[in-house]
Each structure stands twice: as structure tokens, then as C-alpha cells.
Amino acid sequence: FEEIESYTAGKPLPPPFIEKPVKVTYENDEHTRGKRRATITIIEYADLGSSYTALTHEPLKQLLANNPDTLQWTFRHYPSNNSNVNAYIPAMASECVYKQLGNEGFWEFADLITKVRRPGRSAVLETASKLNLDQEELIDCVDNKRTFNYVVLDVQEAQVETQIYVTPAFVFTNNDTDEVRIVEGINTLEYMQAVVDEMLR
């Protein structure tokens, strides 16, 4: 975190993204935390198996706790290695957990898996087994090509909608003004709060 603080020290806030509006949905299959239809939505594109995502996970939870009446956090998948199917396993497992346990189960799994360093298939399944779900159904779902394709759609949306090619990346959207700002990489809680504060002015 000292390195992150050094990296973000004096870093300017991201300018408004002017290419086109970013789609913020409230569909049932979105993975969200925080106030529904909040003023600011943070869409995180990240890899649940990445140590970089792990570094930002707890600060984001704190950011949400610090702004309960203002923020909603939405997670979308962006596995960091597009050429390695195994890199998709944590994302695929999270969707399979979601199918059985819903939004709450998804976030419970996300909180657990981001504490596992570079989780492979066995570690992912072991982590999921700590939840109250059908293990056989989970494995069948993880091995299903449709689950893989579902995760790929998130990656494609990130690249097409916002030209995001870095993971993690965060799309801040003011739902009242349609202003969008994109923060890439690892940043401190203080930096993320500064982005929120700027967009609320």
C-alpha cells in the first residue's frame, strides 16, 4: 500500500470520459452492492483471481461504507489473461455461485476468493465449498461452455463500451448528470474518494 500511495501521490483526477455514455443497468443479473439507483455507480471490471483485484477489494468495501447514501458498486468480469481458460475459473465459479445463492452469495464468494493468492481450479472449488451450495451442480456449471461465454461478454463490453484494456478498472458514473470518469489500476481509498467528491460537485 505504501507503493500505491507513492504512485497516486499528486496524481490528477481522471477527466470526464466523452466518447459515449456508459450503460448502467439495474438488471437482475448485475452483481451490486450498496444503494440501488444511487447517485454514483462504480462499475468495477476486474479479475477475481488477481492479486491486484485483491488489493482494491477491501478499500472499495470501505469506500462504500463511507458513502452509504451515495454509492452503488457493480462488479463485472475482466480476467487478466485472455489466452488462458484457467484464468476464467474464479469468474466462472462466481457466476455458478450466483445461480445457486443469488447476489448475496456472489459477494460472499468474492470476499473469500480475493483472499486466496492466485487461486487455481482446486482452490476456487474449495473456497466455494465453504458456502451452502450443491457442489456437484457447481462443478457442472463451471465446466459448462455457456458459463465461460457469459464471462467473455463482460470483457467484450468493457473493451467496446469504454476502451478498457487494464484490470482492474473502475467506471464512475453520475446517474443524475451522466458524467463518466474512468480510473485504471490500483489506487488508494483516498484517491477513489476524491473522484467521488469531484463528481458530486
Side-chain angles (χ1 to χ4, degrees), residues 1 10 15 41 48 57 64 66 71 77 82 97 109 116 126 130 145 153 182 191 199-200:
F1 277 107
T41 297
L48 284 173
H57 194 73
L64 195 66
N66 292 347
L71 294 184
H77 300 290
N82 292 338
V97 170
F109 176 77
V116 180
E126 181 181 347
K130 297 175 182 178
K145 180 70 172 178
L153 286 176
I182 297 176
Y191 184 83
M199 294 183 70
L200 288 174

Side-chain angles (χ1 to χ4, degrees), residues 10-201:
K11 178 182 174 182
L13 297 180
F17 181 77
I18 59 174
E19 296 296 323
K20 58 182 174 179
V22 176
K23 181 175 63 177
V24 176
T25 68
Y26 297 94
E27 297 172 5
N28 291 332
D29 61 349
E30 285 275 28
H31 308 307
T32 62
R33 261 178 168 163
K35 184 177 179 181
R36 189 170 177 82
R37 302 190 182 278
T39 304
I40 303 286
T41 297
I42 302 175
I43 301 175
E44 177 186 12
Y45 287 97
D47 178 354
L48 284 173
S50 166
S51 57
Y52 296 125
T53 300
L55 279 172
T56 60
H57 194 73
E58 291 302 319
L60 276 169
K61 287 171 65 176
Q62 187 60 51
L63 182 67
L64 195 66
N66 292 347
N67 302 270
D69 298 323
T70 306
L71 294 184
Q72 182 188 64
W73 174 13
T74 296
F75 186 93
R76 294 179 186 170
H77 300 290
Y78 201 116
S80 55
N81 190 339
N82 292 338
S83 62
N84 185 354
V85 174
N86 289 329
Y88 284 73
I89 295 296
M92 293 162 66
S94 73
E95 291 302 328
C96 296
V97 170
Y98 173 77
K99 283 184 178 179
Q100 291 194 45
L101 303 179
N103 191 58
E104 186 175 332
F106 171 88
W107 286 104
E108 189 175 354
F109 176 77
D111 290 344
L112 291 173
I113 201 63
T114 50
K115 291 182 173 65
V116 180
R117 185 172 174 81
R118 295 178 183 173
R121 179 187 172 87
S122 60
V124 168
L125 295 178
E126 181 181 347
T127 301
S129 71
K130 297 175 182 178
L131 306 177
N132 184 25
L133 47 70
D134 184 311
Q135 193 73 3
E136 255 185 59
E137 184 180 332
L138 172 74
I139 293 172
D140 287 345
C141 176
V142 169
D143 291 336
N144 193 312
K145 180 70 172 178
R146 283 179 296 182
T147 308
F148 173 79
N149 290 338
Y150 187 85
V151 171
V152 170
L153 286 176
D154 273 0
V155 177
Q156 291 175 343
E157 181 176 88
Q159 294 174 349
V160 172
E161 295 287 329
T162 51
Q163 291 85 61
I164 287 174
Y165 298 99
V166 173
T167 179
F170 309 89
V171 180
F172 289 70
T173 301
N174 185 315
N175 298 308
D176 293 337
T177 66
D178 291 331
E179 179 186 352
V180 173
R181 296 182 187 233
I182 297 176
V183 175
E184 295 184 331
I186 306 171
N187 295 274
T188 61
L189 170 62
E190 291 75 18
Y191 184 83
M192 303 285 250
Q193 182 66 60
V195 176
V196 171
D197 292 343
E198 177 69 17
M199 294 183 70
L200 288 174
R201 288 182 181 175

